[in-house]
Amino acid sequence: MEGSSEPLLDAKTKVTNQLVDFQWKLGMAVSSDSCRSLKYPYVAVMLKVADQSGQVKSKSFEMTIPQFQNFYRQFKEIAAIIETV
């Protein structure tokens, strides 16, 4: 995502985690303690990732619709590259 401080992977990096489950849901923020009416859509993403020992950890985060569309596009690009390997 934009502004992420996550390190970038290069071609020599060995990835040791495996995506086990990916779920998402569309939500609508309608109010908060500080705002009476927000009314903006968001996407909640829930991931389950297994490390090399097999321990599964859950991670979750929220994105705006444009962020999710970009995330989805990047996932499709990665999938297309993986299919050619």
Side-chain angles (χ1 to χ4, degrees), residues 47-62:
L47 304 174
K48 287 188 180 179
V49 180
D51 64 18
Q52 57 188 355
S53 71
Q55 182 179 3
V56 177
K57 293 184 179 180
S58 296
K59 304 196 182 276
S60 61
F61 51 94
E62 293 178 355

Side-chain angles (χ1 to χ4, degrees), residues 11 21 23 40 42 60 82 85:
D21 189 32
Q23 295 180 18
Y40 70 88
Y42 66 91
S60 61
I82 290 173
V85 176

Side-chain angles (χ1 to χ4, degrees), residues 3 8-9 14-15 20 25 30 44 46 49-50 57 72 80-82:
L8 296 175
L9 300 177
K14 182 178 179 182
V15 178
V20 177
K25 65 181 178 179
V30 291
M46 291 76 59
V49 180
K57 293 184 179 180
Y72 175 73
I81 292 169
I82 290 173

Side-chain angles (χ1 to χ4, degrees), residues 4-60:
S4 175
S5 61
E6 295 288 322
L8 296 175
L9 300 177
D10 61 27
K12 298 176 187 172
T13 304
K14 182 178 179 182
V15 178
T16 58
N17 294 339
Q18 179 180 3
L19 181 62
V20 177
D21 189 32
F22 178 97
Q23 295 180 18
W24 64 274
K25 65 181 178 179
L26 182 62
M28 176 72 76
V30 291
S31 68
S32 74
D33 292 340
S34 59
C35 280
R36 286 203 163 171
S37 181
L38 297 174
K39 295 184 182 169
Y40 70 88
Y42 66 91
V43 177
V45 177
M46 291 76 59
L47 304 174
K48 287 188 180 179
V49 180
D51 64 18
Q52 57 188 355
S53 71
Q55 182 179 3
V56 177
K57 293 184 179 180
S58 296
K59 304 196 182 276
S60 61

